[in-house]
Structure formats: C-alpha cells, structure tokens
Amino acid sequence: MAKPILFPLLFITTTVFLGFFISSAESRPPFACDPRNGLTRSLKFCRANLPIHVRVRDLIGRLTLAEKIRLLVNNAAAVPRLGIQGYEWWSEALHGVSNVGPGTKFGGAFPGATSFPQVITTAASFNESLWEQIGRVVSDEARAMYNGGMAGLTYWSPNVNIFRDPRWGRGQETPGEDPVLAGKYAANYVRGLQSPTGIRLKVAACCKHYTAYDLDNWNGVDRYHFNARVSKQDLADTYDVPFKSCVVEGKVASVMCSYNQVNGKPTCADPDLLKGTIRGQWGLSGYIVSDCDSVGVMYDTQHFTATPEESAAAAIKAGLDLDCGPFLAIHTDLAVRRRLLAEADVDLALANTITIQMRLGMFDGEPSAQPYGNLGPRDVCTPAHQQLALEAARQGIVLLKNSGSLPLSTARHRTVAVIGPNSDVTVTMIGNYAGVACGYTSPLQGISRYARTIHQAGCSDVACDTNNLFGAAEVAAHEADATVLVMGLDQSIEAEFRDRVGLLLPGRQQELVSRVARASRGPTVLVLMSGGPIDVSFAKNDPRVSAIIWAGYPGQAGGTAIADVLFGTTNPGGKLPMTWYPQDYVAKVPMTNMGMRPSRGYPGRTYRFYKGPIVFPFGHGLSYTSFKHSLALAPTDLSVLLDTNLFATKNYSTLSSNAIRVKHAKCDSLYSLFHIDVENTGNMDGTHTLLVFSTPPAGQKWSPNKQLIGFHRVHVIAGSKQRVKINIHACKHLSVVDEFGIRRIPMGSHSLHIGDLKHSISLQANLEGIKV
C-alpha cells in the first residue's frame, strides 16, 4: 500500500486575512480583548472570570445602534474603538474543512485539509462513534486553521435535511431518507465538531436548512420561489426530527433557516418555527442564521412584504439573529426608525450571536493561551486523520450485488481492466461543499496496488455522449482476468441548484456497461459513484455483471477503499441510507409534492410509506460472510403507565384511536431491554449492522409501514458470536404521529423486525395499576 500523500508542514508565509497581515505559522492576533491594548483589556466584557451573560450585556450596552446593525450580517464589521476585529461568520465543514464559505482560505502552511467521504457515504456506515470521531478531527483542523489566521470558528454544517426525493442534487450532503438515522448522525457529528467542555466550544456547528427544504431547481421550480406545503403530521414525524435531535441531543450552537416558504410563510420570518419551535420547544441555546441572501429573497423574490424594512423587521422579530447577506445591514436602521422594530429586538439577536463567540473564547484575549491554542499546521492532514478518512470510506461502501465473483483474487486476477469515466477521478470523490484534500488515491491507483491494470475511460466524462471510446474498452475487458467499471455521476449531474431529471445512468453509460460485460473474459464488477440512487436494474438483472458496489463519493482515499473491498482486504459492511427506486417512480411523483404518505394516484415516499417496486431497499448491503440472528432476551409485553393528573384533567382525551399521547405517559419507565446474538456463520471476519424496525398495530391509518428505531454496528470474527443489547423505549421508538402532529403510543401488538427475525411486543395502558 502506497504511503499517504502528506503536505510539508513547516512553511512560513505571509497571508492577508480579514484585513490584517499575519504569519500563517504563528498565532493570530486576538479577535478582541487584546491584553496589549490598554484601552480595552480592563473592560468588563473582556473579563473571562465573569459569567458570559454579564459580559454580553456589558458589550451590547457599549455599542451604538449603527455598530449593532453592522454586526447582524455574516461579514460583521470591526468596532475599533472597543478593540473588536471584523469577523466572517460563514465557514463550512460538511465533511472536512471547506473553502466554500469566505471565512476559510487554503494556502501557505495550510494547503489543504483532510477530506472525508461525502455525508451520504459516511451515513451508510451506520456508525455513530465514527461520525463523532470525524467531527472531532474536522474541528481539530478547523481550530488549527483559525489559530493560523486562515479560518473562522463558526461552521454552517451539517446538512440534516431529509433525502425525500431521489432526484435532489443536494441529497449527497445529507444522512439519507430516514429521520432517526439523520437525527443520530446530526447529534453525533455536532458533538464531535463542538467538543464542548462545560459551556466552552471548540467550534460552533450549525444544523441546516430548517425546514422541509429538499428542492433546488426542478422543472421550472426553484428553491427561491417554492412554497412547501407540509402537513403537521409530516413536519412532526419526518422533516423536523433531525433538527430536534440536533438541538436537544447534540446541543448545536446554531440552526439555519431555509430559502423556501413552508405553508405560505418564509421560514426565516416564521415566529412559530424560529421562536416557537427551535428556541421555545427545543430550547436552542445559540443563534439562528439565514441561508445566504434568503432575507433578501424573502423581499425581492417572494414579495413577502411591501418594503424591505418590513422584511428586515419580520425576520428579526420572528427570531432570526444573523443574516448571511447584506440585507439586514442595509435595512434594519430604517426598520427601527419607522418603529417596525425595537432596538431591544436587535439587542436580543446580538446577545445570541455574541454569546456563542464568547463560548468560543473569542473575547478571552490571546488565542494561543486558550484551550486548543496549541493546534497548528502539524495538526492538519496528519497520518492519523488521513487513516480515518480511509477507514470511513471503507465503512461506507455498500455491496449491492455479488454472484460470487467478489472478492477478487490477486492470484487469479493478475490483470484487471479498469474502465469508466470515474475510474481515475480525484476531485469527483469528495463531492460538494468540499475543500482542498491532503492528497488523493483514485480507483485506478488503488486497484494498481493489487494487480496490473489496463485502463480505458470508455467515456470522456460522465455525460458519456458518444460511444467512440467503447471499442478500446471492450478490447481491454477481453484481455484482462477481471473488469472493474467505475461509472456513475458527479457534480455536473447532481449538485446544489442542480436536481436530476431522472434516475438512469447519464448518456450512454448503460450501453458501455453492457457491451463491456459481454466482452469481458473474466468477472465484471460495476462500481458506482453517486450521491443519489441510480436505477441500475439492467445490471442487477444481467448475469454478466457479477457484482455491483456503491461507493457514494468516498473522499480523498476513495480509490484505496474501493480496491480494498474489491480484493477482500476489507469485508464490506455498509447499508444503503436511502431507497433506490426504478426510473418510472419519478414519473408518478413531482418533486413539489411534499407528502410522505400515499394518496390517490400518489405512491408515497421512502421505505416508511412507499410500497411499490424498488431496485434496492433502504438498509440493503451484502457481506463476504453470512450472519445469523437469535433473540437471547425479548420481552413480550410492556405496561404503559399514565400520568394520573394529566390523564384526569384531559377528560380521557389522552386516548385516541387506542393511542396515548406521549406527553401524558410516564416515559422514564417505558423501556424494554433486548439481547440479540449475532453469529458470523461464514469463513471471513466481518462487521454487521443490525437494523431494528418497528411496525405499529394494524388499523393505525396514519402510521408508517415500518420505521427504523435503532441500529448497532458490531464486528464479529468468523465462527464466533457477539451479543448486542438494545433498549426499546416506548415513547421514542414505538410512538407514531397522528394527523394533527401529535405523537402517540398505539396500544396493542407492535412488530419488531430485527435482522431476519420478527418479534411482537404488546403495549397496554395502565393507570395506577388499573388497566385502561
């Protein structure tokens, strides 16, 4: 295995950043409260030993209205008289430190950062500890770059929207279609990024885009004009779930509101969503930021108000604290002068943003003297970080089909034809919202470490408009002992503001695969790079295509990971985080229909509600070994205790369709412990992801077909057994949401699907020992 490509770490260069010159191998000057500044070092807001709310109040009290307004936007202005530097809030860290936002620059001592697999690929690992570990590494590199003056400390990641429609160009950025999976990813990645110590943060994360945002530009409808019509039920049990997990479980520092309207109102001006739900119900302790220029879009494109100052006032009064864009800086002053907005409303917004800056240590003087102040260039692109990127890619790869040809053998498959437009790519592997990678290993390079390769692109790019290179590809396949076709998509097909039209391979890629498979002398393996699902029914049903692998966008080490799976150094254990639909599905489903549940002529969405034909199901993923499940401990009934006072005062309205409101149950006691034995019955060590689904009792018309309630990734040595313990919590795992958006626990027999097992558990309401 070739050594990872590492950048030299000891450059000393001079860099211009945020208005001042610094040596990028040295510590940056303080953002505020410079101990060398005699005018400001003794100010109350600079005293790190005081409570943060006291310091925040003191600082806001010293600002003029004009100064306050210039702090309401992402490129916040400096306040020289108080010794405060300008600050760029917009940085990105979706799957590694990115230079998409203006807050981060690469160069000098920081030529790149570790680029992990795209989120949809990492989600396929179903590995919570991996997600948090990646977050910790990314924030280490982010802090190091901040210390070197090349980045900020506020990162507008992760994207936790639901991958509702397979055509969405940004589905690649998300953890997939399931709200429980997306919520667990969100909480773990945020915990890793923020790495809190008490109230102090390493960096500040942001969960986006709230809410019901998953259309960019489809069939003449774009995100700036789209009004997402969403039922209370779908909002509560699908779209809002990951955001709630982000705030409640992950303790995220920020939430971003989206461009679109929801039920006729812009999300960034909806007090029910911002003040009511995010801050009120969920208890956000942080700031709410707009998607970039969405406050301007609200006025200029959606014509939500008659004047721009009315839009500025509506956004701030709804609970928006920070505008990514210039709109609030331009129009807030007139909003205050016209008494559409009180200065106290501006103060409240600033209190939320400045509190986060103080929790980051930005008002504590010298960065080098603070926690994480020792991080620098030597802490970016380290061998350990790059090894984690490789391990993440290995864990996220999904084996979709295998007729027995995989793994390849270095003894029998000495020559491998490597064909396809994605066979020797590098930047394609890191997807969108990426930065500059430490280095790359392409699929061709990875496979070349195991065998002699014959390389033919077959298509000049993924559009694959002509077949003039097909002949050479067929010849290569005929000469080789095995053929690997690396096909799929890239950012020219699916990306931000670029939704797909259909689900088939672009251009003539399918023709290339079929022709090469016919010509191949040995086994033919199809490797797919993509964020969204692809209808490859032709390959699934073609016996000459002996195996199919989905690699997503596997990051900087993707080629090594793909080769390791092909040759069996890694036993694949990934599972699909989204349903793979046939092409004819999208003909029945406009992207603009936000409904999750089926209705007349409308088939519904995701595995939870859609019952029609599929190519590959959610949770699908094969292994080179086999696993067997058995239940060692499995309770068969659970008594649901009701809160006596609530039940009585509600005059028995707690019960509806034989289902109890979650908030009226004594949830702390409503759990059952299950022990599942996972046995590796094959002859290769392997990692197995145990997925646990539940199906509510029959007759609940508003319930999903089934829903994921938990998962656990376990490594099992060949011939051995591992016991997995899973807590099933009735309020969290066996509840459903009714048509009014109220979460309830249906009484009766719930079916649990644990691997290939099915088990029933009966729930019965109990009021002080008297069954209801």
Side-chain angles (χ1 to χ4, degrees):
M1 186 175 291
K3 294 180 179 178
I5 302 171
L6 297 175
F7 288 120
L9 300 177
L10 298 178
F11 296 175
I12 297 180
T13 61
T14 301
T15 304
V16 181
F17 184 68
L18 296 180
F20 50 84
F21 287 84
I22 68 168
S23 168
S24 59
E26 299 173 358
S27 174
R28 69 184 299 147
F31 165 75
C33 303
D34 190 335
R36 293 162 294 192
N37 185 341
L39 297 176
T40 63
R41 65 187 177 193
S42 61
L43 295 176
K44 196 172 185 178
F45 68 79
C46 290
R47 298 177 193 170
N49 61 329
L50 293 176
I52 284 180
H53 73 274
V54 173
R55 300 170 68 194
V56 170
R57 186 168 59 244
D58 177 74
L59 173 56
I60 292 174
R62 296 174 186 274
L63 297 170
T64 66
L65 177 61
E67 290 169 336
K68 292 174 183 178
I69 289 172
R70 289 195 294 267
L71 298 179
L72 293 173
V73 292
N74 62 290
N75 57 337
V79 187
R81 68 182 185 84
L82 296 178
I84 299 172
Q85 303 283 343
Y87 180 68
E88 176 56 67
W89 285 83
W90 180 8
S91 290
E92 303 278 355
L94 184 69
H95 51 108
V97 180
S98 167
N99 57 352
V100 169
T104 302
K105 305 285 188 294
F106 288 108
F110 299 95
T114 308
S115 191
F116 289 90
Q118 182 58 286
V119 175
I120 195 70
T121 311
T122 309
S125 72
F126 283 82
N127 187 342
E128 295 185 63
S129 62
L130 174 68
W131 303 332
E132 182 170 344
Q133 191 176 5
I134 290 172
R136 289 185 182 279
V137 165
V138 172
S139 58
D140 275 352
E141 298 196 350
R143 261 286 175 173
M145 292 182 66
Y146 172 78
N147 292 341
M150 302 295 280
L153 289 177
T154 46
Y155 289 84
W156 294 346
S157 305
N159 179 343
V160 298
N161 291 116
I162 295 295
F163 197 172
R164 170 190 61 99
D165 191 291
R167 294 162 290 193
W168 188 31
R170 301 188 73 177
Q172 60 182 291
E173 302 172 29
T174 76
E177 72 180 36
D178 181 80
V180 169
L181 171 62
K184 288 184 178 292
Y185 176 87
N188 281 280
Y189 188 64
V190 165
R191 276 193 288 262
L193 276 181
Q194 297 191 160
S195 299
T197 303
I199 64 168
R200 299 289 177 159
L201 303 172
K202 195 198 306 184
V203 304
C206 174
C207 288
K208 62 186 186 184
H209 313 80
Y210 185 74
T211 183
Y213 166 68
D214 49 15
L215 178 151
D216 269 65
N217 188 16
W218 175 82
N219 200 28
V221 180
D222 66 44
R223 62 189 182 180
Y224 307 121
H225 296 84
F226 181 49
N227 176 23
R229 299 191 179 277
V230 187
S231 69
K232 290 181 179 179
Q233 185 176 33
D234 286 342
L235 200 64
D237 88 337
T238 298
Y239 296 110
D240 278 3
V241 172
F243 291 95
K244 182 178 181 180
S245 180
C246 238
V247 175
V248 177
E249 306 295 331
K251 308 297 181 186
V252 74
S254 176
V255 173
M256 176 184 287
C257 50
S258 53
Y259 290 110
N260 56 288
Q261 296 186 357
V262 172
N263 299 327
K265 186 173 287 189
T267 63
C268 292
D270 190 336
D272 292 334
L273 293 178
L274 305 190
K275 280 186 176 178
T277 301
I278 299 175
R279 202 173 292 283
Q281 293 179 29
W282 300 342
L284 173 71
S285 178
Y287 70 97
I288 298 174
V289 61
S290 73
D291 206 342
C292 295
D293 291 321
S294 62
V295 183
V297 165
M298 184 195 320
Y299 171 73
D300 295 321
T301 306
Q302 298 175 358
H303 310 298
F304 179 62
T305 63
T307 65
E309 59 270 23
E310 287 173 327
S311 282
I316 294 174
K317 289 172 75 172
L320 187 74
D321 302 309
L322 185 70
D323 177 18
C324 178
F327 196 88
L328 291 187
I330 298 170
H331 300 292
T332 301
D333 179 67
L334 184 55
V336 173
R337 285 192 282 117
R338 287 189 55 194
R339 298 186 178 180
L340 301 170
L341 188 70
E343 186 171 351
D345 296 319
V346 176
D347 291 350
L348 184 59
L350 289 183
N352 291 326
T353 54
I354 294 170
T355 294
I356 293 300
Q357 289 182 311
M358 289 195 176
R359 290 176 64 191
L360 289 164
M362 294 175 65
F363 286 84
D364 292 351
E366 291 285 358
S368 60
Q370 298 176 35
Y372 312 112
N374 60 328
L375 295 173
R378 66 177 61 84
D379 301 295
V380 180
C381 287
T382 68
H385 293 180
Q386 297 195 60
Q387 182 63 33
L388 183 63
L390 171 58
E391 183 57 30
R394 287 169 173 161
Q395 291 191 24
I397 289 175
V398 181
L399 179 61
L400 298 174
K401 172 187 175 180
N402 188 17
S403 300
S405 62
L406 291 183
L408 300 177
S409 165
T410 54
R412 295 192 310 274
H413 307 109
R414 295 176 181 271
T415 302
V416 177
V418 184
I419 295 167
N422 282 335
S423 59
D424 196 27
V425 294
T426 52
V427 175
T428 295
M429 296 192 299
I430 61 177
N432 70 348
Y433 276 80
V436 178
C438 310
Y440 296 98
T441 303
S442 73
L444 176 63
Q445 291 171 325
I447 295 168
S448 296
R449 297 172 181 176
Y450 286 95
R452 188 176 74 86
T453 55
I454 307 171
H455 179 235
Q456 290 291 335
C459 307
S460 58
D461 53 35
V462 295
C464 201
D465 293 325
T466 68
N467 64 0
N468 58 357
L469 300 177
F470 287 12
E474 291 171 294
V475 171
H478 185 68
E479 293 177 354
D481 300 319
T483 298
V484 176
L485 285 144
V486 191
M487 313 296 287
L489 315 178
D490 63 15
Q491 301 305 303
S492 70
I493 305 295
E494 56 176 356
E496 184 170 13
F497 216 67
R498 185 174 292 129
D499 297 326
R500 286 191 286 165
V501 176
L503 303 182
L504 299 176
L505 283 168
R508 306 182 77 162
Q509 284 195 42
Q510 179 172 328
E511 179 188 348
L512 175 62
V513 173
S514 296
R515 283 177 56 171
V516 166
R518 284 195 297 269
S520 181
R521 182 163 57 88
T524 300
V525 180
L526 173 61
V527 177
L528 297 167
M529 281 192 199
S530 71
I534 304 171
D535 182 354
V536 287
S537 301
F538 79 96
K540 177 184 176 183
N541 299 324
D542 187 346
R544 289 166 298 196
V545 179
S546 57
I548 305 174
I549 285 173
W550 177 68
Y553 293 121
Q556 65 176 50
T560 299
I562 290 168
D564 289 347
V565 168
L566 288 170
F567 282 90
T569 302
T570 295
N571 189 350
K575 304 285 187 184
L576 288 179
M578 72 296 205
T579 303
W580 285 39
Y581 303 91
Q583 167 68 12
D584 62 3
Y585 171 81
V586 297
K588 307 169 188 173
V589 183
M591 279 192 77
T592 49
N593 190 326
M594 301 296 291
M596 298 301 298
R597 290 157 173 80
S599 56
R600 185 176 298 177
Y602 178 72
R605 295 184 180 275
T606 78
Y607 80 93
R608 297 166 64 223
F609 303 103
Y610 170 70
K611 295 182 179 179
I614 56 172
V615 182
F616 295 109
F618 173 89
H620 176 70
L622 306 174
S623 172
Y624 295 149
T625 189
S626 54
F627 297 96
K628 178 183 175 183
H629 310 97
S630 59
L631 288 172
L633 176 64
T636 57
D637 58 76
L638 179 63
S639 183
V640 179
L641 296 175
L642 303 180
D643 186 301
T644 309
N645 296 324
L646 282 173
F647 189 76
T649 57
K650 291 299 176 181
N651 203 22
Y652 288 87
S653 67
T654 290
L655 288 172
S656 174
S657 301
N658 199 30
I660 293 171
R661 287 194 182 203
V662 164
K663 68 178 183 180
H664 295 166
K666 293 186 175 181
C667 288
D668 291 345
S669 60
L670 297 183
Y671 63 88
S672 292
L673 182 62
F674 284 73
H675 291 181
I676 303 105
D677 288 336
V678 180
E679 183 179 0
N680 185 338
T681 57
N683 55 14
M684 180 184 284
D685 297 352
T687 298
H688 180 60
T689 299
L690 187 70
L691 302 179
V692 182
F693 297 90
S694 74
T695 300
Q700 303 289 345
K701 63 179 181 179
W702 21 264
S703 300
N705 306 323
K706 65 175 184 177
Q707 58 188 5
L708 182 71
I709 61 175
F711 52 86
H712 189 88
R713 186 178 174 95
V714 58
H715 186 75
V716 190
I717 296 170
S720 72
K721 185 186 297 184
Q722 289 282 348
R723 177 160 293 180
V724 176
K725 298 178 182 180
I726 293 180
N727 257 321
I728 305 296
H729 194 286
C731 293
K732 290 181 180 179
H733 301 140
L734 302 180
S735 60
V736 294
V737 175
D738 70 14
E739 59 265 48
F740 304 106
I742 298 170
R743 187 164 288 278
R744 297 179 178 274
I745 309 169
M747 297 298 101
S749 180
H750 293 249
S751 294
L752 300 182
H753 309 264
I754 305 169
D756 51 4
L757 301 174
K758 189 174 180 180
H759 176 78
S760 294
I761 181 169
S762 179
L763 270 59
Q764 191 166 29
N766 190 304
L767 179 61
E768 288 191 336
I770 302 172
K771 293 180 179 177
V772 180

